[in-house]
Amino acid sequence: MKLTKRYIFLIISFLAFIATSTAQSPASYAKGVILPDSYEGEFWKPAAAFELPKRVNDNVPDMIDFAKRFMGTRYRSGGKGPKGFDCSGFTSYVYKNFGFTLGASSRHQYKQGESVSYKDLRPGDLVFFGGRRGGKTVGHVGMVVSVDKERNAMKFIHSANSSGITITSYPDGGYYSRRYIGARRILD
């Protein structure tokens, strides 16, 4: 009989815990913390706050900081690692370090995510350009690091054949301005 009462007590305690921990205020969600709205008793107190998973685009500042660590790293054709990168190897490497898998080439990456218009660009988006031969075939990729809506401009980080990992302003009035193809959003 004592054993049955103990089980009933545990079940009721568990149900009470579940009931109080699932009632959330919008403020709790906004902070990313799961706590009851109010509790005035001594029976239950949270041992620690539980965080909701980070939203994907909360990673963008960290991704940009991570990418900037490689500034000056040399360009290497087919390079996918920290000693040398080609353009798609660089974007793949950065995204991979935040749990996202991108295709091996800029052409493959151009097929991923959602298309984004130039006026709707935001940091973390991938921007694509034609190759050195020109035309509308994707041949280069970079990641947006900042957007200036007033000037209709942005800056992107990429692995350039001539200078390695660098940040370039767009429009640049030249090479990249003539070759812009489009943008894709991988992060929501």
Side-chain angles (χ1 to χ4, degrees):
M1 187 70 174
K2 285 185 181 181
L3 192 58
T4 306
K5 287 181 182 179
R6 190 174 295 165
Y7 282 124
I8 292 172
F9 175 76
L10 288 172
I11 291 169
I12 291 172
S13 298
F14 177 75
L15 292 174
F17 171 77
I18 297 297
T20 59
S21 66
T22 58
Q24 298 299 306
S25 69
S28 297
Y29 283 122
K31 293 176 188 169
V33 176
I34 300 174
L35 294 174
D37 287 1
S38 64
Y39 184 75
E40 297 176 13
E42 292 292 321
F43 172 60
W44 181 81
K45 289 184 181 177
F50 299 98
E51 288 190 33
L52 293 171
K54 275 181 120 175
R55 289 184 30 212
V56 172
N57 59 8
D58 290 343
N59 288 328
V60 172
D62 295 334
M63 287 179 79
I64 292 169
D65 288 343
F66 180 76
K68 286 179 178 179
R69 287 188 211 165
F70 298 97
M71 292 286 291
T73 301
R74 70 185 182 96
Y75 177 89
R76 189 171 132 215
S77 181
K80 307 284 181 204
K83 292 184 179 180
F85 297 99
D86 65 9
C87 64
S88 58
F90 178 63
T91 52
S92 291
Y93 188 81
V94 171
Y95 271 75
K96 182 179 179 182
N97 276 275
F98 290 85
F100 300 94
T101 302
L102 294 180
S105 71
S106 55
R107 284 185 201 98
H108 286 114
Q109 291 178 13
Y110 188 61
K111 296 175 184 174
Q112 292 182 261
E114 296 178 18
S115 181
V116 138
S117 70
Y118 182 78
K119 68 180 178 68
D120 293 325
L121 281 177
R122 62 185 188 213
D125 290 342
L126 296 179
V127 285
F128 297 87
F129 303 88
R132 282 177 271 157
R133 294 183 195 104
K136 288 294 178 187
T137 302
V138 172
H140 190 67
V141 61
M143 183 177 76
V144 176
V145 295
S146 66
V147 176
D148 184 341
K149 299 278 186 196
E150 289 179 21
R151 292 190 172 130
N152 197 30
M154 58 102 171
K155 291 184 178 184
F156 64 101
I157 190 167
H158 61 118
S159 185
N161 202 342
S162 59
S163 56
I165 305 300
T166 188
I167 294 177
T168 300
S169 296
Y170 180 90
D172 65 347
Y175 186 86
Y176 292 105
S177 294
R178 289 189 306 270
R179 288 170 170 80
Y180 182 81
I181 290 177
R184 308 292 288 184
R185 180 162 297 145
I186 308 298
L187 307 173
D188 213 2

